[in-house]
Amino acid sequence: MSPYAVKLAIRHLLSHPGQTALLMAGVALGVSVFIFMSALIGGLATLLTLRTVGSIPHIVLEMPDRDPVTLSPNAHKQVVRQKDLSRRDQIAIWQPVIPIIEQTSGVTAVSPQIRGSAFVERGQTVVPVGVIGVMPGKLSDIADIEAAILDGSSNLPADGILIGSRLARDLGLRVGQVIRLSSDRGRVRSFRIGGIFTLGIAGADRQTVYMNFTTARALYDLSTGISRIEIKVKPAIDAADIAERLRRSTGLKATAWTEDNAQLFEGLDAQARTGTIIKAFSLVTIIVGIASAMLLSIVRRQSEIGIMRAMGASNGLVVSIFVLEGTLIGFIGAIVGAVTAWFALLPLPPVTEVSSGGLPIDPQQGDFLLAITLTTLAATLASILPARRAARIDPVEAIGT
Amino acid sequence: MSSQAIFSVSGLTKRFAEGEAEVLVLKGIDLSMTAGEMTALLGPSGSGKSTLLTILGTLMRASGGTHEMLGVDLMQASEAQRTEFRSKHLGFIFQFHHLLSDLSALENVMMPAASAAGRETPAMRERAMELLDAVGLPDRRNYRPSAMSGGQRQRVAVARALINNPVLVLADEPTGNLDRQSADQVMDLIRSINQTMATSFLISTHDEHIAAQCARRIELLDGRIVQS
């Protein structure tokens, strides 16, 4: 690229400020759309992931299945395997496992739990619920129950219980009232409602109750063991890898949240593909816009190109001028678009604080650098064909001698 | 080619295809010019003046015959070689000035040299200022073409044609778009440059008044030289 080509390209852009500004504005608009779509699709994925995995364990450790193994598989014989249901599913020796889990890279919270089914009785109404017995100080390790308390407190004394808002509404319960709970082990006990929470997940708000770890032991006849260990990891998307590591290090069955939420992944993937198509269209628009403008410019400047060719300008010089003009329009337009998009997205609340009905836009996922790079590249490509056409202009025809 | 001849063409022909038919525009031109010559090329419209000028200017190839200039066989030269030759040894003045509208008068004068070199140099700038002085426009060097009169633009075009110290300047109706006064000024300028710089000029014109100012006249009729 000769300095003279650079001079002529810049001079032409500056000599036609209106036309240059209009072209750059078109590019800037395309880039803004590109960034907006990236930020929206990324933000939406983050929000959905947060909403989905925010209140659920990322990994669950349980006792592995004790099904018998077929020692000599034989295709010609029918084998019947009977599931071993003779013993309770519990992790009997769990205390030594906890430090191993806590030291595993990516793990942010570990919550040993006692779980079971129960019935809440209120008058003639009986409602099935899932009971979670949590250790002191670990109530909010998996779902942020403390932040979700609508009424009452999150304290869990031996006779206290926390219930979901839908369950409270269905049974007409309030904080301070006493309810009877019958566990699937046949134990019946009364609890005072200490707090009512709402997680925004219908299943959890209607069917989950939290209680003291020790109380749950008694209710489910687990003198030393626990039902499961729930784990949070960061980033949540790495859960499958971390689960595999935990399976190897603890010997327990490890299930990542991604296994149970394949549909969510498919949805996010489809959404990302849609976003890619929209972004591709933005780029195509930019390419078509710049190529059209360049072609028009070449028609308008035909005689000037012709005179330059007649005066000895090489094909390379003519190509350089037009490619550089297109590249500059693309690059500066992309910068303007990126800066505009940045300022436009700046006042929007973070994805985690988006209110209902608001757009979950995450400027961090706006792909600013990618937008600038792709647009500049696209502008350069869009200019090459018109530039080559300009270089092929016959000076004799162009000048009209 | 004689020792003083800067170019010579012999048996030069040019055919153009018009649909399925072919039109022979130049029908065997024999011509040479010596250094410092100022020649008028006359002829009615369609006689082949512009085509001859275009071929001599290496902007178009002849269909047949020979074309040599400064010892170079321009019929055999590649397009890149012809472009380089053109930028080094030939100058052009057209009926319309064809100045680049984005550049100042000074930058327009430098354009052929800068295009070939890929940059503007202080030496080019100095030479361009000398030429603008020579054509009587020292105070217009920073003016854009749109801010100058027709005569001034054409004088800038004359200066531009001279920036590379060409051996031959080919001028196609250089005063065709000018009023009589401006036309006389441009012709005075061309004559003066021809005398002081010993640059050869081949001027295509319809105008007997212009032709009368040239030392030699060549008349073209129906693709043939009828008087030389």
Side-chain angles (χ1 to χ4, degrees):
Chain A
M1 186 74 66
S2 72
Y4 194 56
V6 176
K7 174 181 174 160
L8 291 185
I10 293 174
R11 179 62 64 85
H12 184 257
L13 293 179
L14 293 178
S15 297
H16 303 84
Q19 178 189 303
T20 304
L22 199 64
L23 277 170
M24 286 179 179
V27 173
L29 189 66
V31 169
S32 299
V33 169
F34 186 101
I35 289 171
F36 181 82
M37 286 312 299
S38 299
L40 179 62
I41 301 280
L44 207 52
T46 303
L47 183 70
L48 282 176
T49 309
L50 271 177
R51 292 265 161 95
T52 307
V53 304
S55 301
I56 62 168
H58 297 158
I59 299 169
V60 175
L61 294 183
E62 295 165 300
M63 273 307 282
D65 295 330
R66 289 188 296 266
D67 295 337
V69 177
T70 308
L71 293 177
S72 84
N74 188 328
H76 303 293
K77 289 182 181 170
Q78 191 173 14
V79 177
V80 176
R81 287 197 297 176
Q82 187 166 352
K83 198 167 180 65
D84 182 5
L85 301 172
S86 61
R87 285 174 288 175
R88 285 189 68 182
D89 273 342
Q90 63 166 308
I91 307 171
I93 303 166
W94 56 275
Q95 285 93 341
V97 176
I98 300 299
I100 297 172
I101 301 168
E102 285 173 339
Q103 283 161 21
T104 302
S105 164
V107 171
T108 56
V110 182
S111 175
Q113 296 180 354
I114 291 169
R115 288 198 163 220
S117 303
F119 293 100
V120 175
E121 297 170 21
R122 169 98 167 139
Q124 291 301 306
T125 307
V126 179
V127 177
V129 293
V131 173
I132 302 175
V134 289
M135 293 180 75
K138 290 196 169 289
L139 174 65
S140 293
D141 274 12
I142 304 303
D144 193 358
I145 300 298
E146 287 163 67
I149 292 288
L150 285 180
D151 195 11
S153 81
S154 60
N155 292 335
L156 281 176
D159 64 341
I161 196 169
L162 305 177
I163 65 170
S165 55
R166 287 184 182 240
L167 180 64
R169 192 183 61 196
D170 291 349
L171 297 182
L173 297 171
R174 287 201 301 270
V175 170
Q177 282 185 299
V178 175
I179 55 170
R180 271 163 62 84
L181 212 73
S182 309
S183 81
D184 56 11
R185 291 282 143 186
R187 306 270 180 189
V188 180
R189 197 171 160 177
S190 295
F191 292 91
R192 186 176 298 282
I193 299 169
I196 296 172
F197 63 84
T198 185
L199 288 171
I201 303 167
D205 291 343
R206 178 169 282 134
Q207 289 178 322
T208 304
V209 300
Y210 285 87
M211 68 174 58
N212 183 295
F213 192 70
T214 313
T215 310
R217 274 201 183 290
L219 201 62
Y220 289 99
D221 286 341
L222 279 171
S223 53
T224 55
I226 58 170
S227 312
R228 68 203 295 192
I229 301 167
E230 292 192 346
I231 297 162
K232 283 276 196 189
V233 298
K234 195 172 183 181
I237 205 74
D238 289 349
D241 291 340
I242 299 171
E244 178 54 27
R245 275 189 274 145
L246 288 173
R247 188 190 62 74
R248 286 200 300 267
S249 61
T250 64
L252 296 170
K253 185 171 107 179
T255 309
W257 71 275
T258 47
E259 290 178 37
D260 295 333
N261 292 276
Q263 283 184 330
L264 171 73
F265 269 98
E266 279 178 28
L268 292 177
D269 195 38
Q271 190 178 281
R273 280 200 303 272
T274 311
T276 306
I277 291 169
I278 295 172
K279 287 191 277 185
F281 274 119
S282 300
L283 277 180
V284 169
T285 311
I286 290 169
I287 289 174
V288 171
I290 290 182
S292 311
M294 283 292 147
L295 282 171
L296 280 174
S297 174
I298 286 161
V299 171
R300 203 165 44 78
R301 294 157 71 189
Q302 191 147 336
S303 66
E304 292 194 355
I305 298 164
I307 202 75
M308 286 184 70
R309 297 278 295 115
M311 299 282 171
S314 64
N315 286 0
L317 180 73
V318 176
V319 168
S320 300
I321 293 167
F322 281 91
V323 169
L324 193 63
E325 278 184 30
T327 306
L328 282 172
I329 289 168
F331 179 67
I332 297 170
I335 297 281
V336 171
V339 170
T340 308
W342 174 258
F343 279 109
L345 299 181
L346 208 55
L348 297 175
V351 172
T352 47
E353 294 170 21
V354 167
S355 56
S356 179
L359 284 177
I361 293 173
D362 181 7
Q364 303 297 330
Q365 297 188 59
D367 287 340
F368 286 81
L369 212 58
L370 184 71
I372 293 170
T373 310
L374 282 181
T375 304
T376 308
L377 211 62
T380 306
L381 288 174
S383 317
I384 287 175
L385 212 64
R388 287 169 67 102
R389 192 171 151 180
R392 282 200 302 269
I393 284 176
D394 180 357
V396 179
E397 280 181 31
I399 299 163
T401 55
Chain B
M1 193 161 59
S2 73
S3 59
Q4 286 186 319
I6 52 170
F7 79 84
S8 79
V9 295
S10 168
L12 200 76
T13 59
K14 181 65 188 176
R15 286 187 181 82
F16 289 107
E18 270 192 15
E20 292 188 1
E22 278 199 337
V23 179
L24 193 59
V25 177
L26 297 180
K27 299 170 179 171
I29 302 288
D30 300 318
L31 178 66
S32 64
M33 271 180 71
T34 53
E37 216 180 280
M38 186 157 156
T39 304
L41 181 62
L42 289 125
S45 293
S47 59
K49 297 193 301 295
S50 292
T51 303
L52 180 59
L53 240 57
T54 306
I55 290 171
L56 293 177
T58 71
L59 293 171
M60 185 192 288
R61 281 180 194 269
S63 305
T66 62
H67 179 193
E68 280 185 30
M69 186 166 180
L70 302 174
V72 177
D73 182 351
L74 291 169
M75 288 292 277
Q76 299 302 319
S78 70
E79 212 45 56
Q81 287 169 330
R82 283 161 64 92
T83 301
E84 192 185 347
F85 185 91
R86 185 161 67 236
S87 71
K88 279 185 181 169
H89 303 297
L90 295 167
F92 294 89
I93 305 167
F94 303 99
Q95 185 170 352
F96 184 69
H97 57 81
H98 288 303
L99 298 179
L100 302 191
S101 57
D102 301 335
L103 303 183
S104 67
L106 186 71
E107 290 168 328
N108 263 294
V109 175
M110 282 193 284
M111 187 269 282
S115 292
R119 65 180 67 236
E120 288 175 348
T121 63
M124 282 176 204
R125 186 168 289 272
E126 200 175 322
R127 169 76 177 146
M129 286 200 279
E130 283 171 15
L131 288 168
L132 281 176
D133 286 348
V135 299
L137 296 170
D139 55 336
R140 293 286 187 273
R141 60 180 63 146
N142 294 321
Y143 281 45
R144 296 275 178 103
S146 57
M148 290 187 283
S149 68
Q152 287 172 334
R153 288 174 197 161
Q154 199 62 330
R155 282 193 273 162
V156 174
V158 171
R160 180 181 62 186
L162 299 168
I163 185 74
N164 284 328
N165 296 314
V167 176
L168 171 68
V169 172
L170 299 155
D172 192 2
E173 305 276 2
T175 58
N177 270 347
L178 303 178
D179 57 49
R180 175 55 66 196
Q181 192 185 352
S182 299
D184 285 344
Q185 282 176 356
V186 168
M187 279 311 293
D188 288 347
L189 178 65
I190 288 175
R191 217 173 36 249
S192 146
I193 289 164
N194 170 248
Q195 284 162 8
T196 55
M197 299 182 186
T199 306
S200 302
F201 281 84
L202 179 59
I203 303 166
S204 156
T205 182
H206 287 102
D207 191 338
E208 281 293 342
H209 178 71
I210 301 291
Q213 298 179 56
C214 298
R216 180 183 171 193
R217 57 186 286 151
I218 298 166
E219 281 184 39
L220 211 57
L221 187 67
D222 192 25
R224 288 191 175 85
I225 293 176
V226 291
Q227 184 193 332
S228 177

